[in-house]
Amino acid sequence: GRALVLREPPCPGWRDGKDVITPLRTAEDVVSEGRRMHNCVVSRIPRVVQGTAALYHGEVDGSGLTIQIVSSLFGWRLFEVEAFGAQAPSAGARQVLRRWLNHFATSEGGRCPCGRPKP
């Protein structure tokens, strides 16, 4: 069958030095993320399908992260971040994530100013 493509995330991906955040665009991406990071990110797919959340993988502050953001009346906000095995992210990682989220969370329509990847 065909891959379940999830709703377009508000940010198409981001890089700042060695820190990289990439969207999980299909259900298969999410399943792979859960296996790689040993967490239950798969349970978040319904919110992404509804358009109220977006999922990302980050390589931030030297470690892998599973990232969930949710829409709110005030734009996108960080909902949950987990390092490998559902561990809490480092303080450095949380700081990088705030920078990433701020670069698009308050922009017009909550869309990322860095544009969309070309097909």
Side-chain angles (χ1 to χ4, degrees), residues 1 5 12 15-17 21 43 52-53 55 61 75 87 96 102:
V5 177
R15 178 182 294 276
D16 185 11
I21 297 174
S43 68
T52 60
L55 300 170
D61 195 39
Q87 297 296 311
V96 170
N102 285 337

Side-chain angles (χ1 to χ4, degrees), residues 9-78:
C11 179
W14 183 77
R15 178 182 294 276
D16 185 11
K18 292 182 179 180
D19 299 318
V20 178
I21 297 174
T22 55
L24 303 176
R25 296 187 179 277
T26 67
E28 287 78 11
D29 290 347
V30 177
V31 169
S32 294
E33 177 75 1
R35 287 182 181 142
R36 172 177 43 185
M37 297 297 293
H38 293 254
N39 62 33
C40 62
V41 68
V42 171
S43 68
R44 276 80 170 180
I45 290 176
R47 288 194 73 179
V48 178
V49 170
Q50 293 171 352
T52 60
L55 300 170
Y56 292 84
H57 175 78
E59 291 296 328
V60 177
D61 195 39
S63 67
L65 299 173
T66 301
I67 305 159
Q68 180 182 4
I69 59 174
V70 295
S71 62
S72 73
L73 292 174
F74 305 105
W76 291 92
R77 67 179 180 83
L78 200 55

